[in-house]
Amino acid sequence: MFNFIYHTPTQVVFGKGAEEQTGALVKGQGCKKALLHYGGGSVVRSGLLGRIKASLDQAGVAYVELGGVVPNPRLSLVYQSIELCKKEGVDFILAVGGGSVIDSSKAIAYGLAEEADVWELYDRARRAKACLPVGVVLTIAAAGSEMSNSSVITKDEGGIKRGYNDDICRPRFAVMDPELTVTLPPYQTASGCVDILMHTMERYFTPNGTMELTDSLAEGLMRTVMKNAVILRDDPQNYDARAEIMWAGSLSHNGLTGCGSDGGDWACHGLEHEMGGMFDVTHGAGLAAVWGSWARYVYRDCLDRFVRFAVNVMGVAEAGTPEETALAGIEAMEDFYRSIAMPTCFSELGISPTREQMVTMAHMLHIASGGKKGAAKVLREADFLKIYEMANH
Ligand code: NZQ
Ligand code: ZN
């Protein structure tokens, strides 16, 4: 086991009607003026934005609003928002939406706190010294950004999607009402469930430093997400299942399921970020499409973990060789993805990259990762390309 710091400063306000407390929560931050930041319109259509505004008004919070964040949020809107916030004297960012809105908010918060170009953070040119406070009203359980130290932004020119991790961006509070997620299209619900699973799987598939308690939490979380993802497939209005998934989304990416390990693998996220940058695919679906190919490429190098995963998470009976058990676990996970209409290869994801495009993605990941990625098996540029080729059917 490795030493670790578990830092989760986010106040979670969870349950039916929790969004009514938003005004008081922002007020409690002692800010002068908030930016109300949201996405492409779902919060307008559902009436949530109106209720948040009423809550801010009631608490006497001054705010300015800017919507239009798209999935795989763009740097251009971050720049535009920073300009608006400077003009308006904004000192608090309230994200109403999902991972894309939250990540855009975190980028704006970094950009306002320092004069230098915020993209330098995502481009690994420097580390942040400061970040304005961010609060969240969550509308989709998926990215876990409401408690994470991460934000992922796409530079418009060249479709360069990059993440930046720093504890100073962790939101001050996260309002989580599972009822807000019932309006999600089934594809987004399922993609969110995959992303939640993957945040724990990325941490789980490492041979370096594990803890019995962390493994048990991780395995319980993964089983819970799979069970409730199927319930939501058949009954999207099910409140309890929505609540299980929403809480799992936060716990899967706030660091809990990685305590004691070396930090985990994260190759699938690296592979997906290049796919998201080039093809603008939905993050969770992109992860599902590449995971099976990654797993088959690396499982022999991390066999004990894959066997444990097969037995404890996927319920595979241990029979035959460890390799056979591990492969049965991988197949069972792919069957699960298919059962919730998630892709297991590129054609099912709706993309058909040329060889040249895959070479480009592998090279971009080589640059983004500093030459290597992964813990289950350390991967380099040639390996990235092989995994893309395996998934390209
Ligand atoms: O834009 P609107 O109209 O709101 O529609 C959104 C969007 O189209 C819609 N939606 C959200 N809540 C809804 C809803 N539709 C109906 N009812 C609701 N209640 O869902 C679509 C997806 O929203 P988005 O915010 O993009 O989803 P998600 O939370 O999956 O975020 C994805 C982004 O987060 C990044 C991903 O790479 C991607 O860019 N990630 C961020 C992480 C982090 N910051 O910690 C970690 C992740 O690994 C991930 O990389
Ligand atoms: Zn993710």
Side-chain angles (χ1 to χ4, degrees):
M1 145 188 185
F2 289 80
N3 293 355
F4 62 87
I5 294 172
Y6 181 56
H7 179 65
T8 53
T10 308
Q11 180 186 10
V12 173
V13 182
F14 195 100
K16 284 184 191 176
E19 64 276 17
E20 285 163 23
Q21 299 178 48
T22 307
L25 286 163
V26 179
K27 182 87 179 166
Q29 295 295 321
C31 63
K32 291 198 204 78
K33 199 175 204 179
L35 172 70
L36 180 53
H37 201 39
Y38 54 94
S42 73
V43 296
V44 179
R45 289 190 296 279
S46 67
L48 174 64
L49 194 71
R51 285 186 282 139
I52 297 296
K53 285 181 185 175
S55 175
L56 292 172
D57 290 339
Q58 204 184 357
V61 173
Y63 63 88
V64 55
E65 66 176 90
L66 189 82
V69 180
V70 294
N72 297 319
R74 304 299 198 273
L75 181 63
S76 54
L77 191 74
V78 170
Y79 286 150
Q80 192 187 322
S81 308
I82 291 170
E83 286 314 308
L84 175 74
C85 290
K86 279 183 180 162
K87 202 173 82 194
E88 295 281 342
V90 163
D91 58 356
F92 185 87
I93 318 296
L94 178 64
V96 182
S100 296
V101 175
I102 304 168
D103 288 2
S104 182
S105 298
K106 288 174 175 177
I108 296 163
Y110 283 128
L112 284 169
E114 293 183 78
E115 269 307 313
D117 181 1
V118 68
W119 181 250
E120 290 172 6
L121 303 176
Y122 299 85
D123 209 21
R124 293 172 157 233
R126 65 178 170 95
R127 301 284 307 171
K129 292 195 187 72
C131 183
L132 250 56
V134 174
V136 173
V137 178
L138 188 65
T139 64
I140 171 172
S145 188
E146 66 278 5
M147 287 186 88
S148 84
N149 67 351
S150 176
S151 85
V152 186
I153 297 293
T154 298
K155 188 176 191 179
D156 310 54
E157 306 84 48
I160 304 169
K161 181 172 174 175
R162 294 282 178 270
Y164 175 65
N165 295 353
D166 199 316
D167 276 338
I168 58 176
C169 80
R170 289 190 197 257
R172 296 293 173 92
F173 63 79
V175 171
M176 293 188 226
D177 177 354
E179 268 184 338
L180 299 180
T181 67
V182 299
T183 51
L184 280 167
Y187 187 75
Q188 288 296 338
T189 297
S191 293
C193 291
V194 173
D195 196 19
I196 294 167
L197 278 171
M198 282 296 308
H199 291 154
T200 288
M201 286 157 74
E202 297 277 27
R203 290 173 167 91
Y204 186 85
F205 286 110
T206 174
N208 306 315
T210 54
M211 282 180 83
E212 190 56 44
L213 177 59
T214 298
D215 282 343
S216 299
L217 290 168
E219 289 161 1
L221 186 145
M222 291 186 274
R223 289 193 301 265
T224 303
V225 172
M226 286 191 287
K227 177 181 166 189
N228 286 283
V230 171
I231 293 174
L232 289 181
R233 175 196 66 193
D234 301 332
D235 179 14
Q237 307 290 318
N238 189 307
Y239 177 83
D240 289 336
R242 290 274 174 200
E244 299 281 356
I245 294 290
M246 193 170 232
W247 189 218
S250 300
L251 296 186
S252 193
H253 202 32
N254 76 358
L256 181 67
T257 59
C259 290
S261 88
D262 62 349
D265 187 88
W266 298 101
C268 287
H269 268 72
L271 291 161
E272 192 289 329
H273 282 177
E274 300 310 326
M275 293 151 58
M278 188 175 283
F279 297 102
D280 206 15
V281 294
T282 299
H283 173 62
L287 289 169
V290 82
W291 182 80
S293 299
W294 167 84
R296 285 192 176 78
Y297 193 76
V298 308
Y299 77 95
R300 286 185 199 86
D301 291 69
C302 195
L303 195 55
D304 289 352
R305 301 296 285 172
F306 273 92
V307 169
R308 185 178 168 136
F309 174 78
V311 175
N312 289 2
V313 181
M314 303 313 298
V316 169
E318 220 169 333
T321 64
E323 282 83 356
E324 283 166 346
T325 305
L327 277 173
I330 294 168
E331 274 159 28
M333 181 47 98
E334 288 185 317
D335 285 345
F336 165 73
Y337 286 155
R338 287 189 202 98
S339 79
I340 58 167
M342 281 286 106
T344 56
C345 61
F346 284 173
S347 64
E348 288 170 12
L349 181 63
I351 64 170
S352 49
T354 61
R355 186 177 154 79
E356 200 188 343
Q357 286 173 318
M358 290 189 288
V359 167
T360 302
M361 289 196 292
H363 186 62
M364 299 262 284
L365 179 51
H366 163 77
I367 293 167
S369 62
K372 58 179 184 180
K373 189 115 188 137
K377 177 182 172 78
V378 177
L379 304 175
R380 296 174 196 281
E381 187 168 350
D383 304 304
F384 305 148
L385 180 58
K386 280 192 191 126
I387 293 169
Y388 285 137
E389 283 171 336
M390 283 168 72
N392 194 24
H393 57 88

